[in-house]
Amino acid sequence: MSNTQSTGMNKLLLFVALALMCFGIVVVYSTSTPVALAKNLPPEYFLMKHLYKVVASVIIMGVFYKIDYALWKDMSRVVFGVGAVLTLAAIVSGGEVKGASRWIFGIQPSEIMKFGFICWVCAKLSNAGDEIKSIKCTIVQPAVPFAISALLLALQPNFSMLIMFAALLFTLLFIAGANYKYLFSGLGASIPLGLIVLLCKAHTSTRIKAFFSGDDGTMKESKRQLEHSLEALGNGGLFGTGAGMGEQKLGYLPEAHKDVVYAAIGEEFGFVVTFLVLVAFAILFSQGFNIAKASTTRFGRYMAVALTTSLFLNFAIHVCVCVGLFPTTGQPLPFLSFGGTNLLMSSAFIGIMLNISRPTSGRSIREPYMNNTVSFDASSFMSFRTRRSSI
């Protein structure tokens, strides 16, 4: 089975995404049952809610697969605007959950804003042509959507999402061939500023201090999730305690079906299955970058890289939190955590990448000539070569 763009839709990417969703149903049922019973709800309460969202996600994936990805270039500012307005509305009128105002109308609008941010930046870089190394294309134009996003995310606050926005922007500018002098100068200036902001906010400084110490008071409480996450992974051993037989989800591991689902998988299914989960995600990410490599437009290439990187960051932050390599934060594991906005948007991302992998998509895109663009090579994640877009 070939998975290159020249032969049609990337079937391996679709298969892995659907397989993860199916396994996620089992995991959510197992990990959410104690939560439902503790709230005097039917054991299948969270399972049924998750199933509805899985069905909706599959439908969204199919719809986004059918939409030519060229539309997202034209609609980039509209999508970003809708996401930004909803995020602002969540800050102003949305209820607080764990010290942050991230939800409104049952959705997390920052996920929509992230998609709009990706579309906007990719569109700007696609249209840059040979001006990509100018300060306008490297600093000024990307700074507009990023500054708006950073302000809104800081007000929520949602600093883990802000870190993802910054990482996405850096990745896109890097692969587009932006001026490295401006790029790394901006990175060097933003890191200290970001650390100062993180440490000045009680919401994040407590978690950071807990990550490094956690000896007493609120810091000890903040570190409780990490301790039980590591205990869950240790209890699982090689083959796990068995589906539904985990102990840490019984009130010891908060949000076992959401923010630390990887640890719950480790306890009930063991090292073997957690390793297979890592392999599945590795295949998913590799196929995303293969789609980027085969794309015939710069916009398609940048979009595939950004969407894959976004999924990777969600995955990496979640797993690193579970194994104690990153301070506690509320990032779900794509396709496996209890369904929400992230599940819906992750499915949309897969649908867009499947559309990019179709040889008939993106033909309406017109891009200025560019002497030097970035290509993807299997032997080295990135290499530079001279090529011209076929559009």
Side-chain angles (χ1 to χ4, degrees):
M1 180 189 301
S2 177
N3 293 293
T4 61
Q5 189 193 42
S6 59
T7 57
M9 182 187 73
N10 191 303
K11 298 180 181 63
L12 182 56
L13 177 67
L14 175 62
F15 173 78
V16 172
L18 293 177
L20 286 170
M21 280 190 192
C22 291
F23 181 54
I25 294 172
V26 177
V27 172
V28 167
Y29 182 44
S30 175
T31 55
S32 67
T33 299
V35 181
L37 293 174
K39 296 181 178 182
N40 296 318
L41 297 169
E44 302 83 7
Y45 176 78
F46 289 104
L47 170 65
M48 297 310 297
K49 290 186 68 175
H50 184 70
L51 281 173
Y52 292 143
K53 291 175 181 177
V54 167
V55 172
S57 297
V58 173
I59 294 172
I60 287 174
M61 187 187 299
V63 171
F64 276 66
Y65 165 67
K66 289 294 186 180
I67 298 174
D68 193 308
Y69 72 89
L71 175 69
W72 306 118
K73 185 175 183 181
D74 299 330
M75 297 291 291
S76 59
R77 293 189 182 187
V78 174
V79 176
F80 179 81
V82 170
V85 169
L86 288 174
T87 302
L88 179 60
I91 296 170
V92 175
S93 60
E96 271 198 14
V97 178
K98 297 183 179 180
S101 302
R102 302 178 184 178
W103 299 87
I104 190 170
F105 307 131
I107 64 171
Q108 191 172 358
S110 59
E111 292 282 354
I112 301 173
M113 185 171 67
K114 180 175 68 174
F115 175 51
F117 174 78
I118 289 172
C119 294
W120 191 350
V121 174
C122 289
K124 285 294 184 183
L125 295 178
S126 168
N127 292 332
D130 284 335
E131 296 182 3
I132 188 64
K133 297 195 178 291
S134 67
I135 192 170
K136 174 184 176 183
C137 293
T138 304
I139 301 294
V140 178
Q141 290 183 341
V144 175
F146 182 74
I148 297 171
S149 303
L151 176 61
L152 293 173
L153 293 172
L155 290 173
Q156 283 190 321
N158 190 350
F159 290 105
S160 60
M161 182 68 81
L162 179 52
I163 291 172
M164 291 181 64
F165 272 65
L168 285 168
L169 179 59
F170 180 84
T171 301
L172 284 170
L173 289 171
F174 184 81
I175 66 163
N179 190 306
Y180 294 156
K181 181 178 71 173
Y182 301 140
L183 182 58
F184 285 100
S185 296
L187 180 65
S190 60
I191 289 178
L193 179 61
L195 290 174
I196 292 172
V197 173
L198 288 174
L199 294 174
C200 287
K201 285 280 187 178
H203 177 78
T204 52
S205 63
T206 299
R207 293 184 175 185
I208 294 173
K209 291 174 183 176
F211 179 71
F212 291 104
S213 59
D215 294 325
D216 61 336
T218 56
M219 290 189 292
K220 185 174 182 179
E221 180 64 24
S222 297
K223 200 171 183 179
R224 186 169 70 93
Q225 179 173 298
L226 170 60
E227 292 172 345
H228 286 290
S229 176
L230 293 174
E231 189 172 344
L233 290 168
N235 290 345
L238 191 61
F239 298 107
T241 59
M245 302 301 292
E247 296 180 358
Q248 292 303 310
K249 66 185 180 183
L250 303 176
Y252 302 105
L253 191 59
E255 308 287 353
H257 58 305
K258 296 180 182 179
D259 299 342
V260 284
V261 74
Y262 185 76
I265 292 172
E267 182 175 28
E268 297 194 352
F269 298 94
F271 171 79
V272 172
V273 174
T274 55
F275 178 74
L276 291 176
V277 168
L278 297 180
V279 171
F281 275 105
I283 294 172
L284 187 146
F285 301 142
S286 68
Q287 292 308 303
F289 289 121
N290 283 343
I291 290 171
K293 178 181 178 180
S295 177
T296 56
T297 68
R298 290 195 298 273
F299 180 72
R301 189 176 308 129
Y302 300 156
M303 281 289 288
V305 169
L307 298 178
T308 303
T309 302
S310 178
L311 293 173
F312 170 77
L313 290 171
N314 270 130
F315 159 82
I317 292 175
H318 180 100
V319 173
C320 286
V321 166
C322 290
V323 300
L325 296 178
F326 197 84
T328 302
T329 185
Q331 285 296 328
L333 186 59
F335 308 113
L336 295 178
S337 290
F338 176 71
T341 313
N342 181 267
L343 175 61
L344 298 174
M345 292 306 300
S346 296
S347 300
F349 288 1
I350 295 296
I352 293 170
M353 286 193 285
L354 291 174
N355 181 264
I356 295 173
S357 71
R358 295 177 62 186
T360 56
S361 297
R363 292 183 174 179
S364 63
I365 294 177
R366 296 294 181 267
E367 298 172 324
Y369 176 77
M370 187 174 180
N371 284 319
N372 297 304
T373 63
V374 177
S375 65
F376 289 80
D377 187 271
S379 60
S380 59
F381 178 73
M382 293 177 189
S383 62
F384 297 88
R385 68 182 180 184
T386 302
R387 70 182 281 186
R388 179 174 180 174
S389 172
S390 62
I391 298 300

